[in-house]
Amino acid sequence: MSRYFENEVRENVQACERPDFDRMWSRIEREVAERKAGVVPTEAAPRSRKKYIPAAIVFSCFMVAAVPAFAGVTLNWDHLYGGKSVTRALDNGIGQRYDLDASSNGVTMSLKGVVTDGERMKLLVAVDAGMKPEEYDVVVLEHMAIKDKAGHEEPLSGYLQYDGASGKLLGIYETKDTLKDGKKTYTLEAGNLVYYKSEAVPLKQKPAVGTEIKTGETRYPSLNIKSVVGSSEGLSVRYNVNAAEAKDGGSGDPHLTVTYGGQTVRGSVTQLPPEGEGIPMEQVFPRMAAKDWENADIRFNYLKESKRIEGSWSFHFQTDGKKAGEAIYSRPLQTSGEFREKARKSLDRLTVTPLEIIAGINEETPQERGKWFEVNYDDVRLQIGDQEIKGSYTIKGDDPAKYRKAYAFESPEWYKDWSGVPMKLILKQAVVMKRDTSANWLALHRPTAEKQTAEMNLESSQVRFTYYMDGKDLVVESEPVSGPVKGIGQSMLRVDGEDVYPEYAPRGPGALGKNIERYPDFNMSHTLEINPGIYRYSDPGRDVEMALTQK
């Protein structure tokens, strides 16, 4: 499962003369999270890796008859992400209901329904395995895929969650919709049910910067502490986890927990892009001071396999996308001048599918040499009649060359005719990402091993730069002191008239406002200036609303 999530399910990532790596990482983080949210429950769930099931343990029961209802079985899918929209679509005759069962090695799996919307196909499954929820922390199906008649396989993403009322594991799995508005027969294949329990390993030594710490665990034998950075906001820790298997990819949710002041916290966890061997991690602990870290009980945590049920479950089913296609409502949108000015984007089309409501986005951020400006919103809502629902910025499509940006929402109810339903888009908590190398330059003194500071007025904020030599490298620390600036993503220097960029150091979406950058092998003759490069700041004046439809 993806580690680009922080502590909970979220449905809720893009230059210049030289690539701006922090900007790229920010955009990649956001887009990966947005594209995968809703199909992954937490960062803790391991990825599917095994591609086959040994023939000796295969025992499958094939059933192909669809039934008009859930055959009297009461299962509540509403607590799963996207569950309400799927069951609502089925209740309105969109998609197909099934009551297909397959048993293998004492475990029964059921396929209960399939809904498509022209872009995604979602399948409802239930698993009756008998394990009690207190006996495990995470359970996954190691292999989930569908095949068409030609044998073309598409992987399924999703998760299982225990339902106390029925005593079963319920899941919603999805893949791209290859059905569209046609009719096809598919085979759903599932393999191996694996249970995991969280393991907390006390560290035998304090995790000081530059140390390698042995865990004594086979899967993750050691970790290397790269940096510990404190600020007024909290503490940021970066480290590398060494895995026994090169292809592990962080699937066991490796992370630290810190116990201090009578509380145990894990903060926000981000797996960074790979850099050589190991799994690079960043954890941010809000409101934690350096002294808390030094005196805390720190443990290394990961998911350890506790039980494995080898098995294979298969279902043949036929599904028809015609009803879903007929149910899609779409209309062009006319963007108001106020919206275009404040959001720096326009809305092109409103689309209502059986699974979600989508407002398509056209970015309107002309790029000039040395300049870049983009507005994002942390609070995205849609008012439908007298109801207000929370949504997110997301990326649509499976082909990177054809990605479409949009605001997406799960509809609170289904209307047979959407043309008269009033809708209003509400965007709040605006955050601007900006770069301007035509301004915002600050002269610095010749750096030495002794720390020097300089402050800059930026977007009605004070930003402090602390700089010093560390061997042959120049280190620059930046931190907002006051005002709406939230942080410097990637600074740049002008050394004797030439632009110089720092060493690539990706940061997670939950990173602190304080940033530490390194300029390797620094050398100067006469002049040195610094520019904040890419930075973020809050701008509530850009909050905006726009009617999408009216009565």
Side-chain angles (χ1 to χ4, degrees):
M1 292 293 183
S2 171
R3 289 296 323 281
Y4 294 98
F5 296 86
E6 298 183 14
N7 307 334
E8 57 181 307
V9 179
R10 298 176 189 239
E11 172 155 319
N12 313 300
V13 194
Q14 273 162 353
C16 311
E17 305 89 302
R18 172 190 183 278
D20 290 312
F21 293 110
D22 194 79
R23 171 189 170 191
M24 290 180 181
W25 170 237
S26 176
R27 181 65 60 94
I28 289 168
E29 274 280 23
R30 191 168 73 241
E31 293 194 359
V32 167
E34 288 153 352
R35 289 177 54 71
K36 293 195 174 187
V39 298
V40 182
T42 69
E43 65 225 347
R47 293 187 182 118
S48 171
R49 298 220 173 269
K50 198 158 278 191
K51 301 300 182 184
Y52 67 94
I53 307 298
I57 54 87
V58 173
F59 172 71
S60 298
C61 197
F62 299 93
M63 301 184 68
V64 298
V67 297
F70 284 133
V73 179
T74 301
L75 299 175
N76 181 15
W77 308 89
D78 289 358
H79 63 286
L80 298 177
Y81 180 82
K84 289 182 179 179
S85 61
V86 175
T87 54
R88 189 179 300 113
L90 290 168
D91 290 342
N92 283 276
I94 303 167
Q96 283 75 43
R97 298 178 186 269
Y98 306 94
D99 196 18
L100 309 181
D101 296 330
S103 296
S104 180
N105 207 3
V107 174
T108 299
M109 180 183 293
S110 305
L111 175 63
K112 293 297 186 181
V114 176
V115 176
T116 63
D117 69 352
E119 185 162 323
R120 309 302 296 171
M121 174 187 289
K122 295 195 177 186
L123 298 86
L124 301 180
V125 299
V127 178
D128 192 352
M131 284 277 284
K132 297 179 181 179
E134 60 270 18
E135 296 176 323
Y136 60 90
D137 292 311
V138 173
V139 56
V140 300
L141 283 161
E142 199 169 46
H143 174 73
M144 281 288 279
I146 60 169
K147 289 183 177 178
D148 59 20
K149 281 187 174 181
H152 178 72
E153 182 175 292
E154 289 287 345
L156 290 165
S157 299
Y159 67 101
L160 293 171
Q161 186 169 314
Y162 182 75
D163 175 46
S166 65
K168 296 183 179 183
L169 298 169
L170 303 184
I172 298 178
Y173 287 80
E174 74 167 58
T175 186
K176 65 182 180 181
D177 182 7
T178 57
L179 179 67
K180 305 302 180 183
D181 58 356
K183 183 183 293 186
K184 286 186 180 181
T185 298
Y186 293 96
T187 299
L188 168 63
E189 296 182 347
N192 293 354
L193 192 65
V194 186
Y195 293 86
Y196 294 86
K197 193 77 175 172
S198 182
E199 188 84 357
V201 182
L203 298 183
K204 296 179 181 180
Q205 64 187 94
K206 285 296 180 182
V209 176
T211 59
E212 180 180 15
I213 301 175
K214 305 293 185 181
T215 66
E217 298 296 306
T218 302
R219 184 172 185 178
Y220 301 114
S222 65
L223 57 150
N224 300 87
I225 307 299
K226 298 296 185 182
S227 67
V228 179
V229 178
S231 76
S232 58
E233 301 171 272
L235 200 74
S236 174
V237 182
R238 296 174 70 122
Y239 55 97
N240 232 43
V241 178
N242 300 307
E245 295 185 7
K247 295 183 179 180
D248 183 281
S251 58
D253 185 32
H255 65 276
L256 300 174
T257 54
V258 182
T259 300
Y260 71 102
Q263 60 177 336
T264 299
V265 297
R266 64 173 279 166
S268 64
V269 185
T270 302
Q271 182 176 320
L272 301 171
E275 297 177 320
E277 297 182 355
I279 305 161
M281 307 293 298
E282 179 182 67
Q283 271 185 262
V284 176
F285 300 95
R287 298 175 297 280
M288 181 184 290
K291 64 178 181 179
D292 296 325
W293 171 261
E294 293 168 0
N295 299 319
D297 174 15
I298 303 173
R299 303 197 174 203
F300 174 71
N301 299 256
Y302 75 101
L303 290 171
K304 190 171 186 176
E305 186 176 315
S306 59
K307 183 177 181 180
R308 171 180 291 266
I309 300 176
E310 303 277 3
S312 178
W313 300 265
S314 296
F315 307 87
H316 293 314
F317 64 96
Q318 186 179 78
T319 189
D320 188 346
K322 184 178 179 181
K323 286 185 179 180
E326 292 174 347
I328 293 175
Y329 169 75
S330 181
R331 57 160 290 178
L333 294 172
Q334 298 295 323
T335 306
S336 68
E338 180 191 20
F339 187 93
R340 181 177 279 109
E341 173 62 27
K342 289 186 175 182
R344 288 293 184 97
K345 52 181 64 74
S346 62
L347 303 177
D348 57 10
R349 180 165 290 275
L350 173 68
T351 304
V352 182
T353 79
L355 297 176
E356 61 185 345
I357 299 172
I358 305 160
I361 297 171
N362 283 326
E363 298 283 0
E364 295 187 354
T365 307
Q367 305 300 321
E368 300 178 33
R369 184 176 178 83
K371 292 185 179 183
W372 178 65
F373 191 101
E374 181 177 286
V375 183
N376 298 300
Y377 294 89
D378 289 340
D379 189 352
V380 177
R381 298 178 184 269
L382 184 69
Q383 185 173 316
I384 305 177
D386 58 356
Q387 299 184 70
E388 192 173 288
I389 56 174
K390 190 170 178 58
S392 67
Y393 169 99
T394 188
I395 305 294
K396 298 305 212 177
D398 294 294
D399 182 355
K402 299 179 180 178
Y403 282 165
R404 308 182 312 279
K405 301 174 179 65
Y407 295 120
F409 309 85
E410 185 179 7
S411 175
E413 57 184 293
W414 181 258
Y415 297 90
K416 293 187 179 298
D417 180 8
W418 285 88
S419 60
V421 179
M423 298 187 210
K424 182 170 67 174
L425 180 65
I426 303 170
L427 303 179
K428 295 181 179 180
Q429 298 180 26
V431 177
V432 176
M433 295 184 69
K434 186 175 179 179
R435 180 180 193 263
D436 186 358
T437 60
S438 68
N440 303 322
W441 288 98
L442 178 66
L444 303 179
H445 297 297
R446 182 181 293 274
T448 65
E450 184 177 346
K451 290 186 178 182
Q452 302 179 68
T453 62
E455 292 195 1
M456 172 186 290
N457 292 316
L458 184 68
E459 308 293 346
S460 302
S461 299
Q462 285 294 113
V463 177
R464 178 179 297 127
F465 294 96
T466 302
Y467 58 103
Y468 53 93
M469 295 298 296
D470 181 19
K472 295 182 179 181
D473 300 345
L474 172 63
V475 177
V476 177
E477 301 178 3
S478 60
E479 183 174 17
V481 178
S482 63
V485 170
K486 301 168 75 69
I488 305 298
Q490 181 197 53
S491 67
M492 63 179 291
L493 299 177
R494 188 162 286 168
V495 183
D496 299 325
E498 292 189 9
D499 293 346
V500 179
Y501 294 85
E503 186 177 69
Y504 171 48
R507 309 176 75 207
L512 298 175
K514 183 175 182 177
N515 191 14
I516 300 179
E517 299 175 291
R518 182 174 291 268
Y519 290 82
D521 299 319
F522 177 80
N523 188 31
M524 66 171 286
S525 297
H526 303 291
T527 60
L528 174 62
E529 298 174 280
I530 191 167
N531 186 284
I534 294 180
Y535 59 94
R536 299 177 301 120
Y537 64 94
S538 300
D539 188 352
R542 291 186 176 275
D543 292 356
V544 66
E545 301 180 0
M546 191 184 107
L548 304 183
T549 61
Q550 298 178 341
K551 285 187 177 180

